[in-house]
Amino acid sequence: MIVAGVFRRLFAAIIDSVVLGFFSLMLYWDNFLDITDVRSIVIIISHFAPVLILLDLFYQTFFVWYCSATPGKIITKIVCLDKDTLVKPRLWQSLLRALVRLVSFNLFYIGCIWILTNKSRRAWHDYLANTVVLHAQ
């Protein structure tokens, strides 16, 4: 098994962000049309942020648990597997991975930058959920 490289993982994350952004835009399209000033932008963001967080948690948890990969990972031909058994992560692993990933992203991506410090290219969310991201076979 070949460990997924940094750039492949980064590209997958960018694709997933675009997909989530598209769904978020669809959810809040009517609100975006009502933007008239800075105050309305702040109000939309204050309503938008909790929904986006829950959407991201669901998206990451579901796809990693059900498919071993998010759409971004599928496009870049990488998969997330349980480190010990090399099978799809269990639901609790996928949820834990998504939660830690979200925290890491909000702490200036420091948990993701951790990928650069180890040969197995594992981020904080991979260590805590006991997962590894590999090239798909």
Side-chain angles (χ1 to χ4, degrees):
M1 302 302 273
I2 301 171
V3 175
V6 174
F7 292 109
R8 211 174 265 245
R9 289 185 71 163
L10 177 62
F11 189 50
I14 290 169
I15 292 169
D16 289 330
S17 293
V18 169
V19 170
L20 280 169
F22 177 74
F23 283 122
S24 301
L25 188 61
M26 287 179 14
L27 283 173
Y28 283 91
W29 182 253
D30 292 340
N31 294 18
F32 287 118
L33 295 175
D34 295 334
I35 292 176
T36 56
D37 58 358
V38 175
R39 184 176 180 277
S40 60
I41 293 172
V42 171
I43 291 170
I44 289 172
I45 291 173
S46 67
H47 289 95
F48 180 69
V51 173
L52 183 57
I53 289 169
L54 291 174
L55 182 63
D56 184 52
L57 282 175
F58 175 78
Y59 178 90
Q60 292 293 330
T61 301
F62 175 77
F63 282 111
V64 169
W65 168 69
Y66 191 75
C67 305
S68 292
T70 60
K73 286 181 178 60
I74 292 168
I75 291 168
T76 58
K77 295 182 172 49
I78 58 179
V79 293
C80 179
L81 301 173
D82 180 282
K83 182 181 173 286
D84 298 329
T85 61
L86 297 179
V87 297
K88 290 192 311 187
R90 293 177 293 247
L91 183 58
W92 71 266
Q93 282 178 293
S94 300
L95 179 59
L96 177 61
R97 188 176 191 279
L99 286 167
V100 175
R101 180 183 172 278
L102 185 63
V103 170
S104 170
F105 274 35
N106 286 299
L107 292 174
F108 308 105
Y109 299 93
I110 200 163
C112 297
I113 294 169
W114 199 261
I115 291 171
L116 301 172
T117 68
N118 60 83
K119 290 182 181 179
S120 61
R121 299 289 182 229
R122 294 173 71 202
W124 286 355
H125 49 274
D126 294 313
Y127 279 107
L128 291 171
N130 197 38
T131 57
V132 64
V133 179
L134 305 169
H135 283 268
Q137 295 285 339

